[in-house]
């Protein structure tokens, strides 16, 4: 590595450390580290948001890819879990309102249905699903802590009871209750200001412990590389649509021909 490359890398590292100090749980990059391999925290957050005090997660993973239908758009779930009764939970943290568009919520719900009903199974075996968006602002502007959405029979005025639930959590809510304290914590940069020890302890580890800091710096580096690769993919796709030969595309994006062929092969487009 040349001196210039070393200087660029060091400057980038210092910028990452500065960004890390300002991160909050509601920031997507920090959220990845906060919930990774942290079932107790995910369980706590879900209990507070759903009001299910006895909710017990039996399965849990972060950054869960859903790519089950060939050719369909795939999605990556921030937090995906299953409770002791078989209910499924998709927890998404979104700072921008457009990331929680109702059509996106509908698509996430449909993907969980596809993921959880195998060939030969009856439709009644579909588990209840909860799509939860924690949004920095009050999405509906009504001041409620949580907006709980279910399908309804408009003629009878009764719930459709198909087991689907969509919840929008108001990140601006600061009521004197558990969810108000939780939303306060989601917007904190300092672990000492947090109410919940599970949130504070992991935040402190990621920001102050050398191992945690290294992990978060690696997350930021990986995201930069992912962003660069996605930009190259998009450019390669546009060139292919203009009938530019694959060999030329590989030269332009500075990748191997095999890599470009893999990019251009029919598949779902992974989104966040």
């Amino acid at each position: 590595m040349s001196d210039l490359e070393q200087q660029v890398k060091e400057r980038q590292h210092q910028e990452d450390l500065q960004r890390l100090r300002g991160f909050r749980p509601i920031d997507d990059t920090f959220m990845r580290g906060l919930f990774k391999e942290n079932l107790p925290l995910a369980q706590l957050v879900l209990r507070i948001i759903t009001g299910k005090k006895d909710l017990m997660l039996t399965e849990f993973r972060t950054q869960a890819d859903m790519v089950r239908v060939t050719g369909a758009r795939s999605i990556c779930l921030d937090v995906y879990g299953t409770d002791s009764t078989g209910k499924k939970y998709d927890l998404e943290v979104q700072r921008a309102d457009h990331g929680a568009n109702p059509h996106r919520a509908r698509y996430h719900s449909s993907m969980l249905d596809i993921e959880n009903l195998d060939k030969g199974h009856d439709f009644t075996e579909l588990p209840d699903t909860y799509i939860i968006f924690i949004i920095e602002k009050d999405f509906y502007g009504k001041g409620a802590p949580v907006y709980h959405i279910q399908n309804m029979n408009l003629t009878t005025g009764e719930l459709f009871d198909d087991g689907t639930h969509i919840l929008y959590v108001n990140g601006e809510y600061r009521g004197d209750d558990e969810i108000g304290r939780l939303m306060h914590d989601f917007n904190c940069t300092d672990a000492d200001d947090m109410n919940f020890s599970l949130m504070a302890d992991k935040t402190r580890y990621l920001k102050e412990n050398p191992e945690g800091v290294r992990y978060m710096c690696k997350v930021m580096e990986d995201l930069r590389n992912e962003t660069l690769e996605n930009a190259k993919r998009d450019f390669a796709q546009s060139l292919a649509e203009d009938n530019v030969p694959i060999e030329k595309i590989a030269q332009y994006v500075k990748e191997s021909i095999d890599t470009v062929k893999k990019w251009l092969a029919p598949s779902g487009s992974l989104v966040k």
Side-chain angles (χ1 to χ4, degrees), residues 81-133:
T82 305
D83 72 11
S84 56
T85 67
K87 293 179 176 64
K88 305 291 181 177
Y89 300 86
D90 167 23
L91 177 64
E92 302 291 320
V93 175
Q94 295 289 334
R95 290 189 59 188
D97 287 356
H98 65 79
N101 181 284
H103 286 84
R104 180 175 183 179
R106 170 185 166 187
Y107 194 71
H108 277 234
S109 181
S110 68
M111 288 294 281
L112 259 62
D113 287 344
I114 292 169
E115 179 72 15
N116 289 289
L117 191 67
D118 292 327
K119 182 178 179 181
H121 286 208
D122 191 83
F123 292 118
T124 58
E125 296 180 68
L126 274 171
D128 284 9
T129 59
Y130 289 76
I131 310 299
I132 302 169
F133 287 103

Side-chain angles (χ1 to χ4, degrees), residues 235-265:
F235 185 44
Q237 186 65 51
S238 66
L239 292 175
E241 290 171 357
D242 289 336
N243 298 315
V244 176
I246 284 183
E247 293 77 12
K248 283 290 185 184
I249 295 175
Q251 289 178 15
Y252 293 148
V253 299
K254 298 181 179 179
E255 296 287 351
S256 69
I257 292 175
D258 286 342
T259 295
V260 173
K261 285 181 177 179
K262 190 180 301 182
W263 287 351
L264 299 179

